[in-house]
Amino acid sequence: MNFLYKLRLSSVQRRLFSSILNPDSKTPLTSKDKSRAALALLKSEKNPERILEICRAASLTPDSHLDRIAFSVAISKLSSSNYYEGIRSFLEELKNRPDLKNERFISHAIVLYGQAGILDDAVKLFDKMLDLGVERTVKSFNALLFSCILAKNYAEVKRVYLEFPKKYSIEPNLDSYNTVIKAFCESGSSSSVYSVLAEMERKRCNPNATTFGTLIAGFYKEEKFDDVGKVLDMMTNKYNMHAGISIYNIRIQSLCKLKRSVEAKALLDGLISRRMKPNSDTYYHLIHGFCKEGDYAEAKNLFKRMVDSGCKPNSDCYFTLVYFLCQGGDFESALQFCKECMSKNWFPNITTMKSLVNGLASISKVDEARKLVEAAKEKFPKRADLWSEVEEGLAK
């Protein structure tokens, strides 16, 4: 009787909630429209109860990519407001939806608990899955491992990995091992991965590119360069895998993070000599690295080299150059890169744009600064008021 009451109540709620997502129209929204409307509202909403109302109105489901993003945004906002009881009651409520009584939703709920930092709830949910009529498999086990990483509880990752397979009769798979390796590398315990690799070998579970990429990034982070060499040797000689562009990009990014961009550039030259093709991510990591080290001339040279080679820059390449060139006082170069990316309909964020506008005004290029302000107002009419103070400053 109570369940039927809830179903009747939810139908009434759905009619009321429809006005939240679509207040100005009498036309019913499609499921996808509801998701888009909910996501847009969630990004700007701060009231915890209102956030929950938006989620209920959209009838979110982990089957939809948009809905998974909406769930994540909602949980992030609720946890930042310390509204943990609201998170618990909302996810508990969702478990009663007939369409969500499956492992996919339970796995997603486990991940959301971890994202909210209430990992005990994730573990409890995993433990009582059978009581909910949902069978545990390696999928929900992997979700729990990932939940531990999101909660940054690396000790719990280790406990779950070591104890739960036997306790719940679950055989870890490649994703399981990769998640555990990721946890060790993130926590600064990259040397512990060798025991995981040994376990994988015993279980005849071969590592993949993701495994090696995570290992390499972890060892670079701890500046264990000899171990990087061991991993690369293991890839080639033991598993007959050759380093593709994704592995090179990880190496280049890792070196740039360590402010060793010159060494990273040598890797670029090396891969090109092997007749491999760098992509926009390769160049982005290098451009960002040299900018962080204050070598703006080299960053600009790399951009030119990328374009000349026929590789199309992505938006991050432009945004990085505009931001750092402004920091370095080279507003004329920043303006050229900004114009070029705006012509592709890519606009730097408002902080970078303001920095450029004010910088242009400081070198007596007020007309150019005004043109940027007008372009930004035209592109983002709802945020035009944010530019009023900037415009007033240009008028002085």
Side-chain angles (χ1 to χ4, degrees):
M1 185 69 180
N2 185 45
F3 178 66
L4 291 174
Y5 169 75
K6 285 182 178 179
L7 284 180
R8 285 197 296 270
L9 182 61
S10 65
S11 66
V12 173
Q13 286 175 327
R14 280 195 293 272
R15 288 194 294 272
L16 292 173
F17 288 153
S18 64
S19 62
I20 296 173
L21 301 177
N22 195 26
D24 302 322
S25 174
K26 294 181 180 179
T27 307
L29 294 175
T30 65
S31 179
K32 198 167 189 177
D33 288 337
K34 281 184 180 181
S35 300
R36 286 174 176 159
L39 186 55
L41 290 170
L42 287 169
K43 286 180 178 178
S44 58
E45 187 56 60
K46 296 179 180 178
N47 184 299
E49 283 299 331
R50 180 76 173 175
I51 288 170
L52 291 176
E53 287 178 5
I54 292 167
C55 290
R56 291 185 182 110
S59 297
L60 301 176
T61 165
D63 291 339
S64 159
H65 176 66
L66 273 177
D67 284 9
R68 290 195 296 273
I69 296 172
F71 267 128
S72 182
V73 171
I75 295 300
S76 292
K77 292 207 162 195
L78 292 170
S79 57
S80 65
S81 301
N82 297 320
Y83 197 51
Y84 300 112
E85 283 311 308
I87 295 171
R88 288 187 177 101
S89 63
F90 176 57
L91 291 177
E92 192 66 35
E93 178 185 312
L94 292 177
K95 292 173 201 170
N96 292 318
R97 272 176 45 184
D99 62 316
L100 297 182
K101 283 190 175 293
N102 53 64
E103 190 182 24
R104 182 163 191 170
F105 169 72
I106 297 298
S107 297
H108 194 60
I110 287 170
V111 169
L112 293 175
Y113 279 130
Q115 184 186 338
I118 45 179
L119 190 57
D120 285 348
D121 293 77
V123 176
K124 288 175 186 174
L125 177 55
F126 180 80
D127 183 63
K128 68 175 186 179
M129 282 177 65
L130 293 181
D131 296 338
L132 297 170
V134 180
E135 186 181 354
R136 291 184 210 92
T137 71
V138 71
K139 180 176 181 178
S140 45
F141 172 71
N142 290 344
L144 183 57
L145 289 172
F146 185 58
S147 183
C148 296
I149 289 181
L150 290 177
K152 298 193 182 301
N153 191 332
Y154 301 110
E156 188 68 354
V157 174
K158 187 174 181 179
R159 186 182 79 86
V160 170
Y161 165 62
L162 292 175
E163 297 178 10
F164 281 33
K166 184 176 181 180
K167 182 177 179 181
Y168 296 102
S169 301
I170 292 172
E171 187 69 33
N173 62 9
L174 180 58
D175 287 340
S176 313
Y177 294 121
N178 282 347
T179 304
V180 174
I181 287 170
K182 178 180 172 67
F184 281 135
C185 291
E186 281 190 10
S187 63
S189 306
S190 56
S191 294
S192 299
V193 301
Y194 288 117
S195 64
V196 182
L197 290 171
E199 176 69 12
M200 291 173 70
E201 189 170 5
R202 281 194 296 272
K203 295 291 180 68
R204 296 184 178 181
C205 180
N206 286 338
N208 61 6
T210 300
T211 317
F212 289 117
T214 305
L215 288 169
I216 289 167
F219 284 128
Y220 267 123
K221 182 181 176 183
E222 296 179 41
E223 300 188 49
K224 294 180 177 177
F225 304 114
D226 287 344
D227 286 288
V228 172
K230 287 178 185 177
V231 171
L232 291 169
D233 182 67
M234 187 190 305
M235 274 186 72
T236 305
N237 297 320
K238 187 170 184 176
Y239 292 101
N240 198 29
M241 291 176 63
H242 297 284
I245 193 62
S246 63
I247 294 293
Y248 270 99
N249 283 351
I250 289 168
R251 295 185 67 191
I252 286 169
Q253 181 184 28
S254 297
L255 285 168
C256 288
K257 284 181 177 179
L258 295 173
K259 295 188 176 181
R260 301 173 76 133
S261 299
V262 172
E263 292 176 49
K265 187 188 172 191
L267 282 178
L268 170 69
D269 296 334
L271 72 90
I272 290 173
S273 70
R274 291 179 174 83
R275 297 186 178 181
M276 294 175 66
K277 283 189 176 182
N279 57 27
S280 59
D281 288 335
T282 318
Y283 286 104
Y284 163 68
H285 295 316
L286 286 163
I287 288 168
H288 188 268
F290 279 106
C291 281
K292 285 279 284 185
E293 293 182 47
D295 193 342
Y296 306 124
E298 186 58 49
K300 288 191 286 186
N301 286 339
L302 281 161
F303 184 91
K304 184 178 184 302
R305 181 175 173 181
M306 169 173 49
V307 174
D308 289 347
S309 70
C311 180
K312 293 182 179 180
N314 58 26
S315 59
D316 286 334
C317 294
Y318 286 107
F319 297 161
T320 298
L321 282 164
V322 175
Y323 172 79
F324 280 104
L325 289 172
C326 285
Q327 296 297 303
D330 187 357
F331 300 110
E332 291 189 2
S333 293
L335 175 62
Q336 294 309 310
F337 285 113
C338 188
K339 282 181 174 179
E340 193 172 328
C341 72
M342 284 166 60
S343 71
K344 301 175 185 289
N345 209 26
W346 295 332
F347 279 65
N349 64 41
I350 192 165
T351 303
T352 301
M353 289 288 282
K354 281 184 177 180
S355 176
L356 178 54
V357 166
N358 292 330
L360 290 169
S362 73
I363 59 172
S364 303
K365 289 189 173 290
V366 178
D367 288 342
E368 293 285 6
R370 283 203 176 97
K371 288 177 185 177
L372 287 181
V373 171
E374 287 305 313
K377 287 170 69 176
E378 185 178 341
K379 173 68 175 176
F380 306 106
K382 291 182 179 179
R383 307 184 72 186
D385 59 311
L386 296 174
W387 290 97
S388 59
E389 187 180 326
V390 179
E391 285 184 296
E392 288 173 10
L394 293 175
K396 295 178 182 178

